[in-house]
Each structure stands twice: as C-alpha cells, then as structure tokens.
C-alpha cells in the first residue's frame, strides 16, 4: 500500500483526480486528492494574497494534519512547482515526488516567465484589478496536441467546472533551499516523448529545468492524462517504487 497526495494543475480542484483516485483506492492505496486555496470547492477561501507559498502550505498542512509519512507526492503541470516547494519544507515525510507533465521551474523562476511578453501582458489584462487568471479555452480544434485524448463531454465538463486560478501562484518565483534534493523524483511525460524530455533537460528548457536526474516515464497522450488516460496513469503511479 502506498500513500499518495495528488495536487492538480491550474484551474482544477481535487475533482480532477476522481478517476485516478478511484482506481488507486480500489488497488488498496491510501489516496488524498487536494484542492488548493482559491480553486473549485475552495474558491471562497482565496483572495489577492493567495500565492505559491499559500499553495505549498496547503500541501504541507494536509500531510501534517493527516499525519502522513512515506508519501508519494504527485503534482500535475503547474502543480509541479507547488509540490517542489512543499517537498522543500517536509522532505522527511516523502518517499518520492512525481511530476506529471511538467516539473518544478528553475529556482527563482515564475510560471509567468514561461510565456512570451505578449502572452504575459494578455494575462495581466485578463486579471485586471482582480486576482484570478481566467480558465483557458477547451477547444480541441485550436489545441489538438495539449487536448489530445479528451472527448467532447470531457471538454464540456472542463469548461463547466474549471475556476479561475490565483494570479499570485503563477507570478511568485519558486524559491527552494535544496532540502529535498535527496528525495527521489519521477517525471511522467505525455505530450513529449521521454527522449525529447531528456534533450530538453540537457538544453536547460524551463519546462523541465527542475527535474534533471529524475526518472522519466512516458505516457503518450495529451497534457491532462487524469482525464484522457486515468487508468493508465493510476497504474503507472502504482508501479513507481
């Protein structure tokens, strides 16, 4: 039996892990999907102060309050930076950190920095005087690579259920001390092959700048494997030692 804590990426809540959680629990694992402050069922708890530190604290608080140990901590996409910061605070409670479709950004880098200047300006305009980044468009015709494997009902569900994401979480730089350097790490690559990811790591690409030395596993599908390949993702997680 493995203890999993599952952290979603932008705009999602614990609900995104529903099918993965069900399969892992049916195999006897202890699974804790998490909604971060300001999102989904916790949308009412956030505000302009909500940032990356807040989200890392959410993860740490769950693990400590539930008295979890030997945890496999899983972060999807932007959740990779969240779990990296959390791992830096409580490395002794972790067995492994798993990054699904993106690792932690290089130290001192913001999620916002991965976008070009025009895209950054557009997000700031969308946020305006508020504190939330609106959900993305869920149009498979416009984005067939990232949305690969998502059928029309799933896309409609995502459009319906996604909530704005706290801007502070993507505009605050990731800063870790290196305390979790000895915790084993795994990257699950979906939109890129494992070989492509290794090459990007070697080139210092910011998408994978924080996962040098990690085990890399391939799961060919789109950017949201918890929806497009939930059973395969759950089985892969269960097989990670």
């Amino acid at each position: 039996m493995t203890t999993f804590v599952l952290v979603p990426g932008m705009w999602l809540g614990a609900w995104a892990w529903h099918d993965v959680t069900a399969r892992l629990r049916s195999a006897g694992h202890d699974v804790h999907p998490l909604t971060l402050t300001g999102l989904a069922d916790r949308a009412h708890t956030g505000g302009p102060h909500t940032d990356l530190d807040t989200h890392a604290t959410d993860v740490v608080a769950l693990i400590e309050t539930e008295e979890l140990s030997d945890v496999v901590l899983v972060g999807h996409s932007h959740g990779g930076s969240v779990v990296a910061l959390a791992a830096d605070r409580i490395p002794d409670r972790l067995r492994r950190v798993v990054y699904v479709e993106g690792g932690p950004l290089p130290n001192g880098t913001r999620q916002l920095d991965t976008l070009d200047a025009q895209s950054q300006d557009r997000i700031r305009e969308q946020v305006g005087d508020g504190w939330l980044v609106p959900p993305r468009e869920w149009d498979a015709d416009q984005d067939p690579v990232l949305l690969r494997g998502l059928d029309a009902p799933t896309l409609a569900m995502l459009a319906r259920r996604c909530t704005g994401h706290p801007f502070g979480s993507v505009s605050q730089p990731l800063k870790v001390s290196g305390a979790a350097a000895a915790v084993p790490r795994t990257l699950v690559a979906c939109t890129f092959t494992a070989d492509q990811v290794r090459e990007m790591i070697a080139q210092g690409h910011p998408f994978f700048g924080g996962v040098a030395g990690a085990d890399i596993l391939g799961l060919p599908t789109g950017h949201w494997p918890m929806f497009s390949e939930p059973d395969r993702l759950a089985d892969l997680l269960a097989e990670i030692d």
Side-chain angles (χ1 to χ4, degrees):
M1 188 272 288
T2 298
T3 299
F4 290 96
V5 172
L6 307 178
V7 180
M10 288 184 67
W11 309 299
L12 305 172
W15 62 268
W17 295 103
H18 178 273
D19 292 349
V20 173
T21 296
R23 188 166 180 94
L24 288 171
R25 285 177 175 166
S26 70
H29 301 290
D30 183 25
V31 189
H32 301 261
L34 174 65
T35 294
L36 299 170
T37 296
L39 291 137
D41 54 296
R42 299 189 64 207
H44 61 289
T45 66
H49 60 280
T50 305
D51 57 15
L52 193 61
D53 280 325
T54 309
H55 287 168
T57 299
D58 290 335
V59 178
V60 172
L62 170 67
I63 291 172
E64 291 185 337
T65 301
E66 295 294 330
E67 298 186 334
L68 306 179
S69 60
D70 203 28
V71 172
V72 174
L73 179 58
V74 181
H76 169 251
S77 192
H78 172 63
S81 288
V82 176
V83 301
L85 185 54
D88 195 61
R89 299 178 182 180
I90 51 168
D92 56 312
R93 289 184 177 268
L94 306 180
R95 178 195 299 184
R96 180 175 292 271
V97 179
V98 179
Y99 301 103
V100 178
E101 271 291 275
L105 297 173
N107 216 17
T109 304
R110 309 172 301 170
Q111 184 73 29
L112 206 61
D113 294 331
T114 65
L115 305 174
D116 59 41
Q118 184 177 7
S119 298
Q120 290 186 34
D121 289 342
R122 184 171 64 250
I123 287 177
R124 289 190 179 95
E125 289 175 3
Q126 290 176 326
V127 175
D129 294 330
W131 58 278
L132 293 170
V133 180
R136 60 160 292 146
E137 295 291 330
W138 298 98
D139 187 337
D141 292 332
Q142 294 183 9
D143 198 349
V145 175
L146 292 184
L147 300 180
R148 176 184 170 189
L150 302 180
D151 58 20
T154 301
L155 292 168
M157 177 191 67
L158 286 163
R160 186 174 67 249
R161 298 192 67 178
C162 282
T163 49
H165 192 93
F167 181 66
S169 182
V170 300
S171 59
Q172 179 186 358
L174 173 66
K175 294 183 179 180
V176 295
S177 69
V183 178
R185 296 167 298 159
T186 297
L187 170 68
V188 178
C190 300
T191 53
F192 297 102
T193 67
D195 286 341
Q196 286 174 322
V197 170
R198 292 186 184 97
E199 180 62 25
M200 294 169 78
I201 291 172
Q203 294 173 354
H205 196 290
F207 285 178
F208 304 109
V211 290
D215 298 331
I216 302 174
L217 304 176
L219 177 59
T221 186
H223 186 65
W224 288 271
M226 65 281 291
F227 299 114
S228 59
E229 293 286 357
D231 289 350
R232 289 178 63 196
L233 177 59
D235 292 346
L236 186 152
L237 292 174
E239 292 169 4
I240 294 173
D241 186 1

